[in-house]
């Protein structure tokens, strides 16, 4: 593994342990050249995934981008980093096991919306406001009204 600080190609593993929900191995590494320490993660990758955007452009699936978008939605909400990591792992496993190499971005967005709707309604609304690309306040109001109806127990108005 190449040192991110000095570029040395011969770093040493100092510690390995299971990380997250046993879906990755966390490795602490040290560079013998500059003495810097850094962490790497090793994950199983079932297949290369390509994301097909709405405009038809294709890009390589970026797990970190998915995690960042969820982190933005849950910012300042009572949602732990571990919970976000579990959501990302779940979505990635679901995509990889779908049997498809090319995944429409809308599918990923719907998976995130589904996960956030069960996790935190504010995060769900935040993500939806970007994902659904609301053009007018009325669009946003209609969406929030739909969530209010789903969140209220039966019999309440």
């Amino acid at each position: 593994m190449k040192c991110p600080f000095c570029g040395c190609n011969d770093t040493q593993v100092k510690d390995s342990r299971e990380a997250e929900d046993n879906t990755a191995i966390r490795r602490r590494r040290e560079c013998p050249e500059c003495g810097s320490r850094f962490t790497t993660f090793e994950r199983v990758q079932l297949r290369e995934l390509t994301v097909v955007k709405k405009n038809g452009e294709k890009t390589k699936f970026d797990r970190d981008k998915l995690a960042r978008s969820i982190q933005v939605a849950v910012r300042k909400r009572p949602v732990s980093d571990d919970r976000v990591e579990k959501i990302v792992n779940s979505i990635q496993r679901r995509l990889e096991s779908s049997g498809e190499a090319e995944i429409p971005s809308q599918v990923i967005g719907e998976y995130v919306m589904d996960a956030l709707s069960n996790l935190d309604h504010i995060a769900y609304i935040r993500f939806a406001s970007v994902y659904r690309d609301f053009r007018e306040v009325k669009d946003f109001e209609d969406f929030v009204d739909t969530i209010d109806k789903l969140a209220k127990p039966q019999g309440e108005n």
Side-chain angles (χ1 to χ4, degrees):
M1 174 69 56
K2 187 175 184 178
C3 175
F5 302 102
C6 73
C8 176
N9 285 320
D10 187 31
T11 59
Q12 301 166 346
V13 175
K14 294 298 181 182
D15 179 49
S16 292
R17 62 181 68 172
E18 291 180 354
E20 296 141 17
D21 54 350
N22 297 327
T23 61
I25 296 177
R26 176 185 176 272
R27 299 195 195 283
R28 284 296 293 160
R29 295 178 176 268
E30 183 175 10
C31 176
E33 193 73 29
C34 69
S36 297
R37 289 181 170 238
F38 58 98
T39 302
T40 60
F41 290 88
E42 181 179 321
R43 291 184 176 82
V44 172
Q45 183 174 340
L46 299 176
R47 66 173 33 98
E48 282 285 323
L49 296 174
T50 301
V51 177
V52 181
K53 297 183 177 185
K54 289 179 185 176
N55 66 4
E57 180 185 336
K58 295 179 182 181
T59 60
K60 184 178 174 189
F61 175 75
D62 185 348
R63 183 181 199 289
D64 293 333
K65 182 178 179 182
L66 175 61
R68 283 191 307 273
S69 67
I70 295 172
Q71 284 288 2
V72 167
V74 301
R75 186 171 164 255
K76 294 187 179 183
R77 299 297 303 155
V79 177
S80 71
D81 289 342
D82 285 346
R83 188 68 187 120
V84 171
E85 189 63 30
K86 286 180 181 175
I87 290 170
V88 172
N89 287 340
S90 172
I91 291 171
Q92 185 175 9
R93 269 188 256 118
R94 199 168 166 187
L95 294 172
E96 288 177 342
S97 63
S98 72
E100 299 295 324
E102 293 187 353
I103 310 290
S105 61
Q106 295 89 334
V107 169
I108 298 170
E110 291 301 324
Y111 288 172
V112 173
M113 295 269 292
D114 186 47
L116 291 177
S117 72
N118 295 319
L119 179 69
D120 184 278
H121 285 180
I122 300 299
Y124 176 61
I125 291 169
R126 286 177 179 168
F127 186 85
S129 69
V130 174
Y131 173 68
R132 296 268 168 95
D133 193 24
F134 297 136
R135 298 279 184 202
E136 299 177 15
V137 173
K138 181 77 173 124
D139 299 335
F140 190 77
E141 288 172 345
D142 291 345
F143 183 76
V144 172
D145 286 344
T146 302
I147 293 170
D148 280 345
K149 290 175 186 169
L150 294 174
K152 287 183 182 177
Q154 293 291 346
E156 285 188 26
N157 290 330

